[in-house]
PDB file of all heavy atoms in Angstrom:
ATOM      1  N   ARG A  89     -16.822 112.486  -6.343  1.00  0.00           N
ATOM      2  CA  ARG A  89     -16.015 112.109  -7.498  1.00  0.00           C
ATOM      3  C   ARG A  89     -16.899 112.128  -8.839  1.00  0.00           C
ATOM      4  O   ARG A  89     -16.377 112.097  -9.957  1.00  0.00           O
ATOM      5  CB  ARG A  89     -15.415 110.786  -7.257  1.00  0.00           C
ATOM      6  CG  ARG A  89     -14.211 110.843  -6.164  1.00  0.00           C
ATOM      7  CD  ARG A  89     -13.770 109.492  -5.830  1.00  0.00           C
ATOM      8  NE  ARG A  89     -13.270 108.707  -6.920  1.00  0.00           N
ATOM      9  CZ  ARG A  89     -12.865 107.448  -6.842  1.00  0.00           C
ATOM     10  NH1 ARG A  89     -12.948 106.839  -5.739  1.00  0.00           N
ATOM     11  NH2 ARG A  89     -12.297 106.842  -7.920  1.00  0.00           N
ATOM     12  N   LEU A  90     -18.191 111.931  -8.702  1.00  0.00           N
ATOM     13  CA  LEU A  90     -19.055 111.910  -9.958  1.00  0.00           C
ATOM     14  C   LEU A  90     -18.848 113.098 -10.755  1.00  0.00           C
ATOM     15  O   LEU A  90     -18.880 113.057 -11.973  1.00  0.00           O
ATOM     16  CB  LEU A  90     -20.564 111.868  -9.472  1.00  0.00           C
ATOM     17  CG  LEU A  90     -21.602 111.972 -10.490  1.00  0.00           C
ATOM     18  CD1 LEU A  90     -21.599 110.772 -11.326  1.00  0.00           C
ATOM     19  CD2 LEU A  90     -22.937 112.188  -9.880  1.00  0.00           C
ATOM     20  N   TYR A  91     -18.606 114.299 -10.122  1.00  0.00           N
ATOM     21  CA  TYR A  91     -18.405 115.539 -10.844  1.00  0.00           C
ATOM     22  C   TYR A  91     -17.221 115.683 -11.674  1.00  0.00           C
ATOM     23  O   TYR A  91     -17.014 116.553 -12.431  1.00  0.00           O
ATOM     24  CB  TYR A  91     -18.556 116.742  -9.849  1.00  0.00           C
ATOM     25  CG  TYR A  91     -19.721 116.703  -8.969  1.00  0.00           C
ATOM     26  CD1 TYR A  91     -19.654 117.099  -7.626  1.00  0.00           C
ATOM     27  CD2 TYR A  91     -20.983 116.407  -9.458  1.00  0.00           C
ATOM     28  CE1 TYR A  91     -20.790 117.088  -6.822  1.00  0.00           C
ATOM     29  CE2 TYR A  91     -22.080 116.351  -8.613  1.00  0.00           C
ATOM     30  CZ  TYR A  91     -21.988 116.669  -7.298  1.00  0.00           C
ATOM     31  OH  TYR A  91     -23.106 116.813  -6.494  1.00  0.00           O
ATOM     32  N   LYS A  92     -16.269 114.765 -11.342  1.00  0.00           N
ATOM     33  CA  LYS A  92     -14.997 114.680 -12.105  1.00  0.00           C
ATOM     34  C   LYS A  92     -14.930 113.708 -13.228  1.00  0.00           C
ATOM     35  O   LYS A  92     -13.905 113.407 -13.794  1.00  0.00           O
ATOM     36  CB  LYS A  92     -13.856 114.541 -11.171  1.00  0.00           C
ATOM     37  CG  LYS A  92     -13.678 115.686 -10.109  1.00  0.00           C
ATOM     38  CD  LYS A  92     -12.566 115.455  -9.188  1.00  0.00           C
ATOM     39  CE  LYS A  92     -12.496 116.626  -8.135  1.00  0.00           C
ATOM     40  NZ  LYS A  92     -11.348 116.341  -7.230  1.00  0.00           N
ATOM     41  N   THR A  93     -15.959 112.965 -13.427  1.00  0.00           N
ATOM     42  CA  THR A  93     -16.023 111.919 -14.444  1.00  0.00           C
ATOM     43  C   THR A  93     -16.207 112.490 -15.821  1.00  0.00           C
ATOM     44  O   THR A  93     -16.523 113.631 -16.051  1.00  0.00           O
ATOM     45  CB  THR A  93     -17.222 110.948 -14.158  1.00  0.00           C
ATOM     46  OG1 THR A  93     -18.423 111.670 -14.137  1.00  0.00           O
ATOM     47  CG2 THR A  93     -17.122 110.181 -12.962  1.00  0.00           C
ATOM     48  N   GLY A  94     -15.913 111.623 -16.837  1.00  0.00           N
ATOM     49  CA  GLY A  94     -15.820 112.223 -18.143  1.00  0.00           C
ATOM     50  C   GLY A  94     -17.173 112.244 -18.832  1.00  0.00           C
ATOM     51  O   GLY A  94     -18.272 112.177 -18.167  1.00  0.00           O
ATOM     52  N   ALA A  95     -17.135 112.290 -20.201  1.00  0.00           N
ATOM     53  CA  ALA A  95     -18.367 112.414 -20.820  1.00  0.00           C
ATOM     54  C   ALA A  95     -19.303 111.258 -20.756  1.00  0.00           C
ATOM     55  O   ALA A  95     -18.972 110.086 -20.729  1.00  0.00           O
ATOM     56  CB  ALA A  95     -18.160 112.692 -22.369  1.00  0.00           C
ATOM     57  N   ILE A  96     -20.585 111.542 -20.683  1.00  0.00           N
ATOM     58  CA  ILE A  96     -21.581 110.424 -20.607  1.00  0.00           C
ATOM     59  C   ILE A  96     -21.715 109.804 -21.944  1.00  0.00           C
ATOM     60  O   ILE A  96     -21.996 110.625 -22.981  1.00  0.00           O
ATOM     61  CB  ILE A  96     -23.039 110.986 -20.135  1.00  0.00           C
ATOM     62  CG1 ILE A  96     -22.851 111.586 -18.715  1.00  0.00           C
ATOM     63  CG2 ILE A  96     -23.995 109.794 -20.178  1.00  0.00           C
ATOM     64  CD1 ILE A  96     -24.083 112.387 -18.325  1.00  0.00           C
ATOM     65  N   PRO A  97     -21.492 108.551 -22.174  1.00  0.00           N
ATOM     66  CA  PRO A  97     -21.545 107.930 -23.482  1.00  0.00           C
ATOM     67  C   PRO A  97     -22.990 107.824 -23.989  1.00  0.00           C
ATOM     68  O   PRO A  97     -23.848 107.688 -23.204  1.00  0.00           O
ATOM     69  CB  PRO A  97     -20.945 106.588 -23.254  1.00  0.00           C
ATOM     70  CG  PRO A  97     -21.164 106.258 -21.812  1.00  0.00           C
ATOM     71  CD  PRO A  97     -21.203 107.575 -21.093  1.00  0.00           C
ATOM     72  N   ALA A  98     -23.213 107.870 -25.200  1.00  0.00           N
ATOM     73  CA  ALA A  98     -24.439 107.658 -25.832  1.00  0.00           C
ATOM     74  C   ALA A  98     -24.839 106.140 -25.709  1.00  0.00           C
ATOM     75  O   ALA A  98     -23.913 105.386 -26.037  1.00  0.00           O
ATOM     76  CB  ALA A  98     -24.612 108.131 -27.269  1.00  0.00           C
ATOM     77  N   SER A  99     -25.917 105.776 -25.342  1.00  0.00           N
ATOM     78  CA  SER A  99     -26.219 104.334 -25.282  1.00  0.00           C
ATOM     79  C   SER A  99     -26.589 103.850 -26.644  1.00  0.00           C
ATOM     80  O   SER A  99     -26.600 102.623 -26.822  1.00  0.00           O
ATOM     81  CB  SER A  99     -27.540 104.241 -24.355  1.00  0.00           C
ATOM     82  OG  SER A  99     -28.674 104.830 -24.906  1.00  0.00           O
ATOM     83  N   LYS A 100     -26.850 104.722 -27.555  1.00  0.00           N
ATOM     84  CA  LYS A 100     -27.210 104.352 -28.940  1.00  0.00           C
ATOM     85  C   LYS A 100     -28.570 103.625 -29.103  1.00  0.00           C
ATOM     86  O   LYS A 100     -28.807 102.970 -30.052  1.00  0.00           O
ATOM     87  CB  LYS A 100     -26.151 103.679 -29.646  1.00  0.00           C
ATOM     88  CG  LYS A 100     -24.844 104.362 -29.757  1.00  0.00           C
ATOM     89  CD  LYS A 100     -23.849 103.683 -30.590  1.00  0.00           C
ATOM     90  CE  LYS A 100     -22.473 104.469 -30.628  1.00  0.00           C
ATOM     91  NZ  LYS A 100     -21.440 103.762 -31.411  1.00  0.00           N
ATOM     92  N   CYS A 101     -29.392 103.733 -27.974  1.00  0.00           N
ATOM     93  CA  CYS A 101     -30.639 103.116 -27.953  1.00  0.00           C
ATOM     94  C   CYS A 101     -31.661 103.983 -28.664  1.00  0.00           C
ATOM     95  O   CYS A 101     -31.685 105.230 -28.510  1.00  0.00           O
ATOM     96  CB  CYS A 101     -31.084 102.874 -26.580  1.00  0.00           C
ATOM     97  SG  CYS A 101     -30.199 101.642 -25.713  1.00  0.00           S
ATOM     98  N   LYS A 102     -32.606 103.292 -29.446  1.00  0.00           N
ATOM     99  CA  LYS A 102     -33.629 104.091 -30.119  1.00  0.00           C
ATOM    100  C   LYS A 102     -34.916 104.036 -29.293  1.00  0.00           C
ATOM    101  O   LYS A 102     -35.091 103.091 -28.559  1.00  0.00           O
ATOM    102  CB  LYS A 102     -33.789 103.518 -31.574  1.00  0.00           C
ATOM    103  CG  LYS A 102     -32.550 103.656 -32.390  1.00  0.00           C
ATOM    104  CD  LYS A 102     -32.785 103.149 -33.835  1.00  0.00           C
ATOM    105  CE  LYS A 102     -31.526 103.306 -34.703  1.00  0.00           C
ATOM    106  NZ  LYS A 102     -31.805 102.800 -36.048  1.00  0.00           N
TER     107      LYS A 102
END
Side-chain angles (χ1 to χ4, degrees):
R89 288 172 62 185
L90 174 69
Y91 307 139
K92 298 180 180 180
T93 55
I96 301 168
S99 64
K100 299 184 179 180
C101 291
K102 297 181 180 180

